[in-house]
Amino acid sequence: MDRVTLHHDLREHHRKLTRARQAVLEILTQANRHLTPAAVYRKAKIKYPHLGLTTVYRTLDLLVELGYIRRIHFADGCHSYAATAQAHGHHLVCSVCGRAEEFGNCDLEALMKSLQAKTGFEISVHVLELMGLCPECRAKSRAPKRKK
Amino acid sequence: MDRVTLHHDLREHHRKLTRARQAVLEILTQANRHLTPAAVYRKAKIKYPHLGLTTVYRTLDLLVELGYIRRIHFADGCHSYAATAQAHGHHLVCSVCGRAEEFGNCDLEALMKSLQAKTGFEISVHVLELMGLCPECRAKSRAPKRKK
DNA sequence: TCTCCAATTGAAAATAATTTTCAATTACGG
DNA sequence: CCGTAATTGAAAATTATTTTCAATTGGAGA
Ligand SMILES: [Mn+2]
Ligand SMILES: [Mn+2]
Ligand SMILES: [Zn+2]
Ligand SMILES: [Zn+2]
């Protein structure tokens, strides 16, 4: 996941390691939460002022392709991104603060087997995303409301 | 799922049963596949020429809210909709023809329990979507390629 | 270290997608 | 039927995303 690995992966695809790419990945990796393209742009621009929004869009696509980040889907206001550490990871997202926790072991084998048998579909991809309250936001929401 | 049920559900929310709403739901229910807002508009407009795209967007939101349809997410070109028969249904989508097969019993209890314990998150919502080839498209893709 | 060139970039413009406005219309409880 | 809140669709406004293209840059190879 570090710069070296990225550089390596990029080389394999005949792509270059650029400041723009480093900035975008860095932002998402350190954010520990999901971010929209616009938010990534805003934050990354601080580290690398010359950055353009177009490049952010292109970079997000690239990083998804390489598996460094994943697209998060919401009921409304779709399209946010979160960093991934695992090759096959999913996210557990806090609906209040946006924190995105990665998890693997999405054990869907049994379900998929049974569905393949029942429907004849040949399943190749799955999208799994869990949403709720992170421990911190959970505590806050329980705490007695203060003034007003 | 029929008109009567819809009328009833709408009444509970102080909403009216209109031709536009009937047209949109009918299209999605009979389509047996996922459709983008624009596609729904195109098709529904045939049954009800006076229909406006704005209304389609509003209606899709409403139907999702009432649980008659569900939003389908794709890696790219997000945002399609598919009808649902079950209160808690997910979709198995064919990546070639778009056919959307509904399934319930998404048995994620064990996974969620384990994650709640491990992370402290209080999980309340989950998004699960499976993609692959439907039996028909599967057969076609296997069949020897013809001319050219 | 220097060269060369494919890959990359960002501004601007073009598109696509979605939402807001608002005056006219319609569903439906009474 | 009436009265009225809900709905509608055209047009305009916003937002989101993609395309263009000339200038710049990373990095493989000399
Ligand atoms: Mn989505
Ligand atoms: Mn489920
Ligand atoms: Zn939180
Ligand atoms: Zn198919």
Side-chain angles (χ1 to χ4, degrees), chain A residues 57-116:
Chain A
Y57 273 103
R58 287 190 286 229
T59 302
L60 290 173
D61 282 350
L62 175 63
L63 292 177
V64 164
E65 195 182 316
L66 298 182
Y68 282 82
I69 63 175
R70 212 161 314 280
R71 201 205 279 246
I72 304 285
H73 298 270
F74 292 97
D76 62 302
C78 234
H79 304 186
S80 260
Y81 294 81
T84 46
Q86 306 169 38
H88 181 124
H90 294 273
H91 286 94
L92 213 178
V93 182
C94 175
S95 50
V96 171
C97 71
R99 181 172 152 193
E101 195 82 14
E102 188 177 9
F103 67 91
N105 66 278
C106 64
D107 186 38
L108 298 175
E109 290 315 312
L111 173 62
M112 286 174 41
K113 279 249 158 58
S114 127
L115 280 172
Q116 306 217 46

Side-chain angles (χ1 to χ4, degrees), chain B residues 88 90 106 108 126:
Chain B
H88 181 127
H90 295 272
C106 63
L108 298 175
H126 64 265

Side-chain angles (χ1 to χ4, degrees), chain A residues 4-23:
Chain A
V4 183
T5 313
L6 176 59
H7 197 171
H8 184 266
D9 286 346
L10 286 170
R11 205 154 37 209
E12 292 191 327
H13 292 247
H14 302 289
R15 318 299 291 274
K16 299 171 181 176
L17 176 60
T18 65
R19 292 194 57 193
R21 289 171 180 172
Q22 289 179 61

